[in-house]
Every structure is written in structure tokens, then in C-alpha cells.
Amino acid sequence: QKEVEQNSGPLSVPEGAIASLNCTYSDRGSQSFFWYRQYSGKSPELIMFIYSNGDKEDGRFTAQLNKASQYVSLLIRDSQPSDSATYLCAVRIVAGSNYQLIWGAGTKLIIKP
Amino acid sequence: DTAVSQTPKYLVTQMGNDKSIKCEQNLGHDTMYWYKQDSKKFLKIMFSYNNKELIINETVPNRFSPKSPDKAHLNLHINSLELGDSAVYFCASSHLGGTNNEQFFGPGTRLTVL
């Protein structure tokens, strides 16, 4: 059973601080890794994806991937109240002749003003 | 402008009824998905179609039957609804190949079974 695990939280971070979200996965063959943000009552939307070891930065967001340790993280710098949401980690695996995303249960992030 | 649309947005029905949810995407994607998100926010894949062909069929009761008339549409029909079917159902679409399989989600259909 291929799994993706996240701490469900809530993770409470003061405004302006760095929020760090972590995700571990079980399938060593995983190829691409995605972070989605989901506001309450809304649909998930992609923030970043990463497929190479190391860091990938996009504005205030940095995704970090360590395939040897099988974890991927998302850092949010200068956290804003508008960043308060559930963050879903998804991992792409090969399923037969196709690809499939395996989803974590999400981490609820609360940014306190 | 809407990329992935679903109808209806809300669905309230009695146990035992049959209902359908429709999904359409105008992104030119070749793959579409149905997900179920329960009250604990866990997003579970149910089905996936690539160019009208079923490619993912997770362990889902036979009461759920997807249908893809063309690659821009994926509908979900549910027979004999049960209380446990209450959830938010999301449709999504993507390209299947490449490194980035970003999935674009519809707004969701909140199903409540009474």
C-alpha cells in the first residue's frame, strides 16, 4: 500500500514567521511531488511541484525534496493570514501503465495575526 | 472561462435515491478524475479516465458508475444512495504524461444523504 503521510495539525504560526510543512512517502519509485492548498469550502489548487532533489523556490514558497529520506517539505516565508488553509501533499507514482497521484490527509495551517 | 465545472454544486437527497453529478473541462486535457473528500478532508481517488478509457478504478462500491462520453466530460452516477456517501465529490483533469501532472479541480459537489 503506497502511502503519503502528513501531520494533520493544526499548525499555528505567528504572522511574519516561517511555516514549515512536512510530508513523507513510502514508494521509492515516486517521481513528482506536489503541494496543493485548499481553503475551507474550496477546491485544492496547486502551489508548487518538484521532481529533483534539493530546493525549488517560487516567491514566498520553497519546496524541498530529499528522495533518499523520502520526504518533501514546503516552507512559507513571511506567513500571512491569507496563507491559513489546509496544505495537501501529493506524490505521483507509476500505476501499471499509467500515473496516479497519492494524496496525504493534509496539514491545517493557521497564521495568527 | 471556467476550466473545470461541476453540476450541481449542492445535492441533498434521501437514502435509496439515484443521483448523477456532471463534470466538464475546457482545458484540452486527456485525463479526468473523480475524487471523494470526506469530513476529515482526506482526498480519495475513485476513478480516472484517459481519452474516454477507464484507467483507474479504485475499490468503490458498484453503486458508483462513471461515464465518459468524450474526453471533455466525465459524469458520475450513484445508485441506492447511503448515508456514508455524504461527502464532497471533486472532479479534476490533467494531462497524463510529462513531469508535471498538475490536476485542475472543479468547485466540488457537496452531497448530503438524509
Side-chain angles (χ1 to χ4, degrees):
Chain A
Q1 182 78 7
K2 313 229 185 300
E3 294 181 342
V4 175
E5 297 199 358
Q6 298 179 253
N7 188 321
S8 62
L11 174 66
S12 185
V13 173
E15 183 177 357
I18 295 175
S20 177
L21 302 160
N22 299 312
C23 171
T24 59
Y25 59 94
S26 62
D27 183 8
R28 285 196 171 274
S30 300
Q31 302 175 333
S32 302
F33 307 84
F34 303 80
W35 282 102
Y36 281 76
R37 176 178 61 200
Q38 186 176 24
Y39 291 114
S40 181
K42 301 294 184 183
S43 55
E45 56 180 346
L46 182 70
I47 298 175
M48 292 187 72
F49 75 95
I50 186 169
Y51 55 87
S52 298
N53 271 328
D55 295 359
K56 180 181 179 182
E57 188 174 315
D58 184 0
R60 296 186 297 112
F61 299 94
T62 299
Q64 298 176 319
L65 174 61
N66 184 324
K67 289 187 177 181
S69 301
Q70 294 176 245
Y71 83 79
V72 57
S73 61
L74 180 70
L75 302 178
I76 307 175
R77 289 182 299 281
D78 188 23
S79 298
Q80 303 296 311
S82 59
D83 295 326
S84 297
T86 296
Y87 289 79
L88 301 168
C89 173
V91 174
R92 188 179 86 164
I93 64 167
V94 176
S97 58
N98 298 299
Y99 301 111
Q100 183 177 342
L101 285 188
I102 305 297
W103 295 80
T107 298
K108 185 172 183 178
L109 176 66
I110 299 172
I111 306 299
K112 292 190 171 181
Chain B
D1 280 340
T2 305
V4 183
S5 59
Q6 291 178 233
T7 53
K9 193 171 169 81
Y10 299 96
L11 190 50
V12 181
T13 188
Q14 299 287 331
M15 251 188 342
N17 284 349
D18 303 340
K19 291 293 178 185
S20 292
I21 308 172
K22 295 185 175 182
C23 178
E24 177 181 0
Q25 57 95 5
N26 62 6
L27 297 167
H29 289 155
D30 56 9
T31 305
M32 297 184 72
Y33 312 81
W34 276 114
Y35 286 94
K36 178 182 180 181
Q37 188 171 47
D38 59 26
S39 57
K40 294 183 178 178
K41 299 295 186 184
F42 186 64
L43 203 61
K44 181 182 175 185
I45 182 74
M46 299 174 69
F47 303 103
S48 177
Y49 273 76
N50 174 252
N51 287 321
K52 301 194 298 176
E53 181 184 344
L54 181 66
I55 58 171
I56 294 175
N57 184 4
E58 292 295 303
T59 305
V60 175
N62 291 338
R63 300 181 294 103
F64 291 80
S65 52
K67 188 168 289 186
S68 180
D70 56 61
K71 69 177 187 177
H73 296 84
L74 180 60
N75 304 323
L76 183 65
H77 187 76
I78 315 170
N79 289 325
S80 303
L81 278 155
E82 300 179 357
L83 293 176
D85 297 333
S86 295
V88 179
Y89 292 83
F90 286 105
C91 176
S93 72
S94 74
H95 288 298
L96 187 59
T99 306
N100 174 14
N101 301 113
E102 177 181 0
Q103 293 185 12
F104 292 80
F105 284 79
T109 296
R110 183 173 293 276
L111 171 64
T112 303
V113 182
L114 303 175

